[in-house]
Amino acid sequence: MNTKFIMLLALTLYAITAPAANLTTSTLDGGGQRATTANYANNGSVGTIGGISTVVSPSERMRHGYIGQLFEVSSIAVTGTPVSVNEGSTSQLSGRAALDDATTNVLSGADVNWNIVTGPIASINASGLATTDIVYTNTPATARGFYLGATNSVTLSVLDSNPDNYQAYAGDGLNDGWQVQYFGLPPNANAAPTVDFDGDGQDNLFEYVAGVVPTNAASMFNLQIANVTGQPNQKNLIFSPRFTDRTYTPEFRTNLLTGTYANLSNFTTNDAGLVRTNTDLSATQASKFYRIKITLPQL
Ligand SMILES: [Ca+2]
Ligand SMILES: [Ca+2]
Ligand SMILES: [Ca+2]
């Protein structure tokens, strides 16, 4: 009988402490005895049957080895891992419960009932795994957890990790947030890259790369070619708008019917606000045609 009793206690102890093996235990009653002979001494113990285990951070406090524990939940705190989560990805929701006897319990995602309050969360399964929607810009999303009468919410930050994957605006080479800004939520055929919605001769793709407004015909990329006073072998290429996150490469050709554009090599650059002036220092050809290549590194 004694043997069976001790084994049962040991199993009980293991089941309670196993999830937090690094906890420091205070023993209420070691239950051991000291046995001695002429040659040796032995301090026997049936183990740390009852005690309180604590972790300072994150706060955790458990009482183990008792036959039962009467408590009420004072409050819960819930979170997501990660809190900043990519669109179309997952965040594991979980929580902690503060009990009225100063115990703090860890709550798995399955311990808590979850509701989607607002924002791009597609679903939360029975294990508390939240799956986020596809977004066109970084968007907050809030979930609420319920546990034994207590409730708390967590706000995830759903990251726009792919700028060209949103519904009908996906995969067209235009930043979805930019399309929503000017043309509203999809679908809207006017937001397509080849459309010149404002009729200024520059299509949406060009206006996006150039950084101008696609719904305002007065907003467009301008390039002027001007003489340089006192320098007959130079020409000014004056263009705007010019932004620091784009690369502007002046190109030229000497015949519009044959040949291709080549990079201008001998020129200077001067910026004044949104206006850039490239001065071609070798404008010696009888005729010379210029264009500016604009490169936007990201969508
Ligand atoms: Ca996106
Ligand atoms: Ca797009
Ligand atoms: Ca246009």
Side-chain angles (χ1 to χ4, degrees):
M1 283 298 291
N2 284 341
T3 301
K4 289 181 179 177
F5 182 61
I6 291 172
M7 286 181 65
L8 179 60
L9 290 176
L11 285 172
T12 303
L13 176 67
Y14 173 79
I16 293 174
T17 59
N22 60 339
L23 299 182
T24 302
T25 302
S26 66
T27 304
L28 297 182
D29 181 3
Q33 297 290 330
R34 182 179 179 89
T36 60
T37 71
N39 296 320
Y40 67 91
N42 175 59
N43 291 320
S45 173
V46 296
T48 52
I49 304 303
I52 300 172
S53 303
T54 61
V55 172
V56 174
S57 180
S59 175
E60 187 174 341
R61 184 178 180 91
M62 297 189 71
R63 303 167 193 277
H64 49 77
Y66 296 96
I67 295 173
Q69 182 178 1
L70 296 175
F71 63 86
E72 290 185 358
V73 178
S74 301
S75 64
I76 65 170
V78 296
T79 188
T81 304
V83 169
S84 291
V85 53
N86 284 342
E87 58 184 333
S89 184
T90 58
S91 178
Q92 177 62 59
L93 306 182
S94 62
R96 315 182 83 78
L99 311 185
D100 62 352
D101 64 356
T103 299
T104 304
N105 278 346
V106 172
L107 303 176
S108 74
D111 293 330
V112 180
N113 292 320
W114 301 98
N115 275 356
I116 301 168
V117 178
T118 185
I121 297 175
S123 64
I124 304 174
N125 72 11
S127 299
L129 192 68
T131 301
T132 58
D133 279 324
I134 301 299
V135 297
Y136 60 84
T137 188
N138 293 348
T139 309
T142 300
R144 180 166 286 279
F146 299 86
Y147 177 73
L148 298 181
T151 183
N152 184 234
S153 63
V154 55
T155 297
L156 305 176
S157 179
V158 181
L159 304 176
D160 181 26
S161 51
N162 180 342
D164 189 19
N165 66 346
Y166 188 71
Q167 300 182 15
Y169 290 162
D172 60 9
L174 288 178
N175 181 296
D176 301 331
W178 185 86
Q179 292 178 285
V180 170
Q181 177 184 354
Y182 291 110
F183 298 102
L185 292 171
N188 184 345
N190 291 327
T194 55
V195 171
D196 177 12
F197 175 74
D198 55 9
D200 59 6
Q202 299 179 345
D203 66 25
N204 290 335
L205 175 59
F206 183 90
E207 299 214 37
Y208 170 67
V209 174
V212 293
V213 178
T215 54
N216 178 1
S219 172
M220 54 191 303
F221 186 79
N222 288 294
L223 169 63
Q224 299 175 359
I225 302 172
N227 292 327
V228 181
T229 305
Q231 299 291 341
N233 290 330
Q234 297 185 8
K235 280 284 188 286
N236 276 334
L237 315 180
I238 305 165
F239 59 87
S240 65
R242 185 268 325 178
F243 300 105
T244 56
D245 59 351
R246 289 160 168 82
T247 302
Y248 300 87
T249 307
E251 298 179 337
F252 76 100
R253 63 198 294 178
T254 55
N255 189 322
L256 273 181
L257 300 179
T258 62
T260 57
Y261 280 96
N263 285 355
L264 202 63
S265 58
N266 188 19
F267 66 92
T268 60
T269 299
N270 288 289
D271 292 329
L274 295 177
V275 180
R276 170 166 290 182
T277 301
N278 287 141
T279 301
D280 180 2
L281 301 177
S282 302
T284 56
Q285 295 89 339
S287 59
K288 199 166 185 177
F289 305 93
Y290 298 96
R291 71 179 184 182
I292 304 296
K293 182 170 74 178
I294 309 171
T295 305
L296 182 61
Q298 76 281 5
L299 263 177

